[in-house]
Amino acid sequence: MTKIFYFIVFISFCFKADAQESDQQLSLIPQPLHVEERDGDFKLDGNVTVKVDEKDEELRKLADLFVQGVYDRTGLTLKRGKPDEKGKSILLEIASDTLGDEGYRLSVTDKDIVVQASQANGIFYGIQTIYQLLPTEVSGSWVSLPAVRIIDQPRFGWRGLMLDVGRYFYSVEYVKKFIDYLSMHKLNVFHWHLTEDHGWRIAIKKYPRLTEVGAWRSGTNFQPGNNIDHNPHGGFYTQEEIREVVAYAKDRYVTVVPEIELPGHSLAALAAYPDLSCTGGPFQIPEKWGIQEDIYCAGKEEVFVFLENVLAEVVELFPSEIIHIGGDEAPKKRWSACPHCQKRIKEEGLKDEHELQSYFITRVERFLNSKGRRIIGWDEILEGGLAPNAAVMSWRGTKGGIAAAKMGHPVVMTPTSHMYFDYFQGEPYLEPFAIWGHVPLRKVYGYEPVPEELTTEEQKYVLGVQGNLWSEFIHSSDKNEYMTYPRGAALAEIAWSNPESKNWEDFKRRMEEQYRRYAEKGINYSRSAYQVYFEVTDEVNHNKSTVNLLTDSYQPEIYYTLDGSEPTTQSNRFEGPFEVPVQKTVRAATFKDGQRISPVSSRAIIHF
């Protein structure tokens, strides 16, 4: 009897210990540099005071933002106070440190919470971590935060997401949401793709036709082929709205990097001012997607006057040191046949049209350098010779980034293979329409931004990493969120966390809580991580195959059938790879708490 009693007590203790461990497991994204979990917790209620040095205006703004953030997440209204006030508190404090501008130290005990950083940027990121310590389900007049000590700093200084508003216009309200979602993931660069063949989105006072004409088109290519929605589409941001967005981003420690495309992707501007082209037009803004042959004329001096006037207004609106000038996908057909361009090539002693593009980019760079700014462009700006002070955004794989870094130029890595979030993220036959490719969550998370080909010294030129949302087939804010998250969380971890801290299995575990945070904020995130995908090993000689069922979710509960029926919890439960004879179809889905949470994936087992 005694033995049975102790056995029951032991089992009960183990169960309780496991439950406590599970409850106390942190789900922080991105994974911090150093985390030390402690005993106890901090009780957060309306009696807690948020303390800052009231003489510091930036800290005061941060404290107000934090109080609002806590209220939005918990319904609790915290008090504001000074550092010397007594009582339970959350102290936000600037202190000398070695963690850089964005690093922070966070201490949570049963008595207080302290966030320290050498700059307000770090305080902001410490606050984002506090939000992740809050429970996602709140009821009552208080919540508890686990006791913890965190030392944290980012791996890269450029942690970016790009939004293409040139092809599809997004409202100021949504752009602000987009920035909110960046900041909650500790991303710090909003790359705003403002001009395109299909729409010019930024008001330029000197050239009003850019938005009167260039911001509108008669229809939109909503699927490949000739599938045109003939409803007019367009819109643009006034300069007041631009300033509003830039200020909003600044308060969240996000740098807005504008992109003004040149010399290609410029048909919207040419429709407004056709004399800037090689042929003189006339032009219409296209309804269909694709690369356009008409680009700015490199031989006409008025083109450079125009661009300098445009960029002069741009730099007044955007404090970012770096201005994106595009430089990609600029066909040279018009330049080859243009007497102005050929004259320029001859007079400047250029070899060909590729060197003419380098000349074009270098002139623009020289102007922006005179304004105290630097340029970044897509990796095509390497062609014909890289402008002296240019940074490169490597999108056609990693070769461009490697070449630029070896030349001593700054690089942002954003290859299509891993960082294009307009690509499919789940099984394409189960997903909303996407433009191309397959970039699932596991592929994003597995990306290493620093190429092995670079020496230790050359690696220093990798500024960071960026994800891109091109909007050819993303025509709503809901779909934009669906395509961005959870892949944006994987991007955040590879941009912030040390490679040694990354762990795919643990990331999937932490994402379960992140999904609840997304739901709490109303983010229309994709559930594609729960989709089942197949690994099939054929055994031709034995006329059968071995099938493995996988997802990008944590400890999935998968059921499958072989008879063509829909899987339920009464079907075969997946326990490991299994053999399937040919001419069978495997159908599988993920379940949770007895309910199916993924669409049914299907794979026919056929030998040829």
Side-chain angles (χ1 to χ4, degrees):
M1 185 70 179
T2 303
K3 290 182 179 179
I4 294 175
F5 171 80
Y6 280 116
F7 177 75
I8 293 172
V9 170
F10 173 75
I11 292 297
S12 176
F13 172 81
C14 290
F15 178 81
K16 184 180 290 186
D18 286 343
Q20 289 176 346
E21 183 180 357
S22 175
D23 289 342
Q24 292 177 356
Q25 274 192 301
L26 302 179
S27 297
L28 304 177
I29 291 176
Q31 181 67 29
L33 180 66
H34 173 80
V35 179
E36 177 187 336
E37 298 184 57
R38 296 171 165 179
D39 294 331
D41 52 36
F42 178 84
K43 183 178 178 181
L44 183 69
D45 58 26
N47 296 315
V48 172
T49 302
V50 178
K51 300 178 181 180
V52 298
D53 179 356
E54 293 294 333
K55 297 176 184 177
D56 190 319
E57 182 182 357
E58 196 168 4
L59 282 183
R60 288 203 316 270
K61 288 176 69 175
L62 269 175
D64 292 341
L65 200 65
F66 176 52
V67 169
Q68 183 63 48
V70 170
Y71 177 79
D72 291 342
R73 289 164 174 80
T74 66
L76 299 175
T77 302
L78 305 184
K79 297 185 294 185
R80 292 275 278 104
K82 299 178 182 179
D84 56 356
E85 292 184 18
K86 297 188 182 299
K88 293 188 72 173
S89 67
I90 300 174
L91 176 64
L92 310 179
E93 182 179 46
I94 298 295
S96 298
D97 210 328
T98 58
L99 296 173
D101 290 351
E102 297 181 301
Y104 66 92
R105 296 176 189 267
L106 170 62
S107 171
V108 180
T109 69
D110 59 349
K111 296 181 176 59
D112 59 20
I113 297 176
V114 178
V115 183
Q116 292 180 318
S118 62
Q119 300 290 333
N121 310 43
I123 299 292
F124 179 80
Y125 293 124
I127 287 171
Q128 302 312 305
T129 300
I130 292 175
Y131 291 154
Q132 292 193 14
L133 296 175
L134 294 170
T136 49
E137 295 183 7
V138 178
S139 61
S141 59
W142 62 276
V143 297
S144 65
L145 286 76
V148 68
R149 177 173 174 265
I150 294 174
I151 302 171
D152 201 9
Q153 67 179 147
R155 181 185 182 193
F156 294 113
W158 187 298
R159 307 182 301 279
L161 264 178
M162 186 219 71
L163 179 62
D164 167 22
V165 300
R167 293 184 179 86
Y168 191 84
F169 179 73
Y170 290 90
S171 68
V172 169
E173 180 185 13
Y174 181 70
V175 170
K176 287 181 176 179
K177 280 187 179 181
F178 192 84
I179 291 168
D180 283 337
Y181 303 155
L182 261 72
S183 63
M184 74 177 278
H185 289 86
K186 299 189 175 79
L187 300 173
N188 67 346
V189 175
F190 169 40
H191 174 178
W192 205 358
H193 186 82
L194 287 164
T195 72
E196 221 352 292
D197 289 313
H198 303 83
W200 184 284
R201 306 299 182 205
I202 175 173
I204 301 297
K205 292 180 179 179
K206 196 172 184 67
Y207 300 104
R209 285 179 59 81
L210 286 172
T211 48
E212 290 171 1
V213 174
W216 311 94
R217 63 175 183 264
S218 58
T220 296
N221 191 182
F222 66 91
Q223 280 189 353
N226 293 314
N227 296 297
I228 305 294
D229 175 354
H230 292 289
N231 292 317
H233 176 76
F236 65 93
Y237 307 102
T238 67
Q239 293 200 354
E240 290 72 23
E241 288 173 328
I242 295 282
R243 291 189 181 94
E244 181 184 340
V245 168
V246 169
Y248 189 87
K250 181 182 178 183
D251 286 345
R252 288 149 184 81
Y253 298 89
V254 171
T255 298
V256 183
V257 174
E259 181 176 0
I260 307 298
E261 276 271 18
L262 56 92
H265 289 287
S266 52
L267 196 53
L270 300 182
Y273 297 97
D275 287 347
L276 300 174
S277 69
C278 292
T279 66
F283 304 106
Q284 284 188 328
I285 298 177
E287 296 177 327
K288 294 184 67 174
W289 313 127
I291 300 170
Q292 309 299 314
E293 291 183 345
D294 288 289
I295 65 177
Y296 290 122
C297 179
K300 292 180 179 179
E301 200 61 25
E302 55 264 40
V303 168
F304 295 97
V305 173
F306 166 82
L307 288 172
E308 288 180 7
N309 287 333
V310 167
L311 292 170
E313 293 192 34
V314 169
V315 298
E316 288 298 316
L317 294 169
F318 294 93
S320 168
E321 179 190 0
I322 294 181
I323 305 295
H324 204 301
I325 51 79
D328 63 311
E329 297 179 330
K332 309 300 188 291
K333 181 178 179 179
R334 297 289 187 250
W335 288 0
S336 298
C338 174
H340 302 288
C341 292
Q342 293 305 307
K343 181 181 178 184
R344 178 84 73 185
I345 288 173
K346 184 177 181 180
E347 289 178 347
E348 297 295 333
L350 304 175
K351 179 180 169 183
D352 55 20
E353 287 75 22
H354 292 294
E355 288 195 0
L356 181 59
Q357 173 160 313
S358 179
Y359 165 86
F360 195 114
I361 299 294
T362 300
R363 277 195 64 169
V364 171
E365 178 189 62
R366 196 158 54 238
F367 172 76
L368 285 170
N369 287 167
S370 75
K371 298 289 186 180
R373 307 305 178 89
R374 300 168 57 204
I375 68 167
I376 191 169
W378 303 106
D379 55 47
E380 285 95 330
I381 67 172
L382 285 156
E383 297 170 4
L386 188 56
N389 303 304
V392 172
M393 195 164 271
S394 189
W395 74 280
R396 297 178 301 174
T398 59
K399 288 183 179 179
I402 293 168
K406 286 185 175 294
M407 295 164 61
H409 286 256
V411 173
V412 174
M413 302 303 291
T414 179
T416 58
S417 57
H418 295 78
M419 291 292 117
Y420 269 42
F421 294 172
D422 54 326
Y423 287 11
F424 288 106
Q425 59 193 306
E427 298 301 296
Y429 64 94
L430 299 175
E431 287 288 290
F433 187 80
I435 191 169
W436 196 256
H438 187 226
V439 181
L441 184 64
R442 59 189 177 276
K443 192 168 187 179
V444 177
Y445 191 78
Y447 180 59
E448 169 49 50
V450 178
E452 294 179 354
E453 293 90 335
L454 299 181
T455 66
T456 302
E457 185 62 29
E458 291 164 349
Q459 290 174 7
K460 296 176 183 177
Y461 292 103
V462 179
L463 300 178
V465 61
Q466 177 174 293
N468 296 319
L469 272 296
W470 299 102
S471 61
E472 282 96 336
F473 299 107
I474 303 177
H475 298 165
S476 71
S477 56
D478 276 354
K479 188 171 181 181
N480 191 286
E481 292 170 11
Y482 182 94
M483 301 300 282
T484 308
Y485 298 103
R487 290 185 287 193
L491 165 67
E493 188 138 317
I494 65 175
W496 182 281
S497 305
N498 279 356
E500 297 79 14
S501 302
K502 287 176 57 183
N503 182 296
W504 172 233
E505 285 301 315
D506 188 60
F507 175 76
K508 290 189 293 183
R509 177 192 67 78
R510 287 179 281 126
M511 280 307 302
E512 293 299 315
E513 187 70 10
Q514 188 78 342
Y515 295 139
R516 285 187 277 272
R517 295 184 191 115
Y518 291 162
E520 179 186 54
K521 289 189 72 67
I523 299 175
N524 184 42
Y525 69 94
S526 168
R527 279 72 167 176
S528 304
Y530 292 108
Q531 291 179 15
V532 178
Y533 66 95
F534 301 86
E535 282 185 352
V536 179
T537 304
D538 292 333
E539 300 179 29
V540 179
N541 294 335
H542 296 88
N543 210 30
K544 60 186 178 184
S545 295
T546 299
V547 176
N548 195 16
L549 305 181
L550 302 163
T551 77
D552 285 353
S553 62
Y554 183 64
Q555 296 182 347
E557 184 180 330
I558 301 172
Y559 289 88
Y560 68 93
T561 65
L562 299 177
D563 60 5
S565 62
E566 295 282 290
T568 69
T569 53
Q570 305 305 309
S571 305
N572 303 302
R573 178 163 180 160
F574 176 68
E575 303 289 353
F578 55 95
E579 291 185 347
V580 180
V582 295
Q583 309 305 327
K584 288 283 187 180
T585 296
V586 183
R587 296 169 64 80
T590 304
F591 290 75
K592 188 173 185 177
D593 299 326
Q595 301 296 316
R596 180 159 64 84
I597 59 172
S598 79
V600 176
S601 299
S602 180
R603 176 70 178 268
I605 306 302
I606 302 173
H607 288 174
F608 294 97

